[in-house]
Amino acid sequence: MSTHATTARTDTRYAPVPSVHYDLVPARRLSLEAVARRTGLHPELIRRFVALGLVDAERDAAGRLVFAPSAPAVLGRVERLRAGMCLNYASIGLVLDLLDRIDRLEAALRRGGARSDQPSWT
């Protein structure tokens, strides 16, 4: 007569713990003058792009425009779209929104494990 001990298997699932991230150093910001130097664009044109919503900017305590470190790349993209495709600024805003949407969808596909044999076209 054989006796087999059975062990009860418990499958305990815990809710994911939200991750909290505290920046120890404030995010670096670029002044309007620094962005103008890096891009070669006139500060007034950059102000116009901010007003049109083509590039994001904030105001510092003194009321001056400050930009994220990625702003020169965004402005470069705006200028390439304007020069290369002869788009007006309203159209550029639409194209930028669509490109951002594509980036988010591709990132979601990568996170979901979906793989494509073809490289991203953006």
Side-chain angles (χ1 to χ4, degrees):
M1 188 185 258
S2 90
T3 312
H4 293 0
T6 59
T7 57
R9 186 173 165 176
T10 59
D11 190 16
T12 307
R13 302 212 179 209
Y14 298 99
V17 177
S19 172
V20 178
H21 176 77
Y22 296 101
D23 290 328
L24 298 177
V25 178
R28 201 181 108 195
R29 297 288 181 199
L30 299 173
S31 68
L32 176 62
E33 293 76 22
V35 172
R37 272 193 315 273
R38 290 182 183 192
T39 61
L41 299 175
H42 194 277
E44 285 303 315
L45 182 58
I46 296 172
R47 282 190 186 98
R48 184 176 306 147
F49 289 162
V50 171
L52 292 170
L54 299 177
V55 64
D56 293 328
E58 298 174 356
R59 299 250 178 214
D60 64 4
R64 295 178 301 245
L65 288 175
V66 290
F67 298 85
S70 62
V74 172
L75 289 168
R77 183 182 245 188
V78 168
E79 283 299 294
R80 284 190 306 277
L81 287 170
R82 187 182 64 77
M85 300 184 78
C86 300
L87 297 175
N88 63 23
Y89 293 130
S91 298
I92 290 172
L94 177 63
V95 169
L96 290 174
D97 288 344
L98 291 172
L99 290 173
D100 288 342
R101 176 74 176 147
I102 290 168
D103 287 342
R104 286 192 304 273
L105 290 171
E106 287 178 344
L109 284 173
R110 282 191 295 276
R111 280 192 309 272
R115 299 192 75 111
S116 173
D117 294 335
Q118 298 182 0
S120 165
W121 62 276
T122 57

